[in-house]
Amino acid sequence: MKAVNNYNIQMAQAKERFLTYDQQELIDRCALRYDERYFYVRFLSSDYRICRLSGDMERKTEAGWEDGNSFAEVMVLLDWLCDSKPDRWITGNFMNIVTQGHYFHRNLQEESEDADAVYFDRNPQAFRAACEALGGRSMPLADMSYAIELVDGLEILVQFWHGDEEFKPRLRFFWDENVLSYIRYETTWYALGLLQKRLRYIKTAQSK
């Protein structure tokens, strides 16, 4: 019996749903750049194009357009594209998104050790370089903080705290108070996972 991949099923459903939307309404509401075949979006400091006929995604790299159909990329971009509110706006005030969720989520940031935070504790310049590589703007918070744009002006605030005798080094993530008018609560976790993956990738590339 063939194994069922629930992630692939969810992505396929999201793309099918995208194709049911009035594309002119999407263009107007999300201020999209477009041509006959693609929508063009700036997402986590990279250029993406979304096929208007299938919902398939590609990300622009130095080598050209490459596959951009990871679970997080598809779910976050299509959630924002299809369901962001017409009257969404940025407040500039950041909040901890776990206060909006369940008890399980509130424990996610209380793990005993964060390998990325430990690395950045020893190499703080790597944290700075990784955030700036993603277009982050420095913020006067924590030991180091950067606001990194996800999409459409919506930023994720990344705070880094050095460790000491009492506390382990920590990375903390905060969202604009109006985040839920851009993407759904569940989608914020996919976005955070993707951001952490990008930070980790840049960190790894720089350490070689």
Side-chain angles (χ1 to χ4, degrees):
M1 183 175 178
K2 189 174 181 180
V4 175
N5 187 316
N6 288 326
Y7 291 106
N8 288 342
I9 291 173
Q10 288 184 65
M11 287 193 294
Q13 290 174 341
K15 290 178 181 181
E16 289 171 4
R17 185 165 171 260
F18 159 73
L19 296 177
T20 67
Y21 277 71
D22 179 337
Q23 295 201 351
Q24 187 59 53
E25 191 274 334
L26 298 180
I27 290 169
D28 294 340
R29 175 164 47 80
C30 298
L32 297 173
R33 293 181 295 114
Y34 65 96
D35 57 30
E36 290 185 1
R37 187 172 179 83
Y38 295 103
F39 291 147
Y40 296 89
V41 178
R42 188 74 174 168
F43 179 58
L44 270 182
S45 198
S46 293
D47 290 315
Y48 281 73
R49 64 183 185 185
I50 303 168
C51 180
R52 299 175 64 173
L53 302 176
S54 67
D56 289 335
M57 299 182 182
E58 294 175 295
R59 180 163 64 98
K60 194 171 186 179
T61 69
E62 292 181 357
W65 290 103
E66 298 184 356
D67 182 72
N69 287 287
S70 75
F71 179 77
E73 288 168 314
V74 170
M75 300 306 288
V76 176
L77 273 176
L78 291 187
D79 186 17
W80 164 74
L81 188 61
C82 294
D83 290 331
S84 58
K85 304 295 189 295
D87 60 349
R88 64 194 181 280
W89 58 284
I90 298 297
T91 69
N93 299 318
F94 291 97
M95 69 174 184
N96 188 337
I97 193 67
V98 298
T99 62
Q100 304 295 308
H102 302 295
Y103 182 79
F104 169 76
H105 288 144
R106 292 172 191 165
N107 285 335
L108 289 179
Q109 293 187 347
E110 301 304 327
E111 296 174 357
S112 59
E113 187 167 278
D114 181 330
D116 293 328
V118 170
Y119 178 85
F120 290 136
D121 192 45
R122 297 169 183 160
N123 304 276
Q125 72 285 353
F127 175 76
R128 182 179 298 107
C131 290
E132 290 178 355
L134 290 172
R137 59 188 181 94
S138 180
M139 302 283 284
L141 301 165
D143 291 318
M144 283 191 287
S145 294
Y146 281 85
I148 297 173
E149 184 179 10
L150 180 70
V151 67
D152 191 22
L154 178 65
E155 293 178 321
I156 303 173
L157 176 64
V158 186
Q159 289 187 354
F160 170 70
W161 297 87
H162 283 292
D164 56 27
E165 322 75 53
E166 222 179 324
F167 298 102
K168 296 179 183 295
R170 285 294 178 194
L171 288 170
R172 287 287 181 262
F173 301 91
F174 299 85
W175 291 89
D176 189 271
E177 287 180 337
N178 272 355
V179 57
L180 299 185
S181 67
Y182 287 77
I183 56 177
R184 290 174 294 176
Y185 172 77
E186 292 79 5
T187 310
T188 64
W189 293 98
Y190 306 147
L192 284 181
L194 183 60
L195 173 58
Q196 289 171 301
K197 183 178 179 181
R198 294 280 171 85
L199 289 171
R200 196 172 298 129
Y201 174 82
I202 296 169
K203 175 197 76 176
T204 302
Q206 291 170 343
S207 65
K208 291 180 179 178

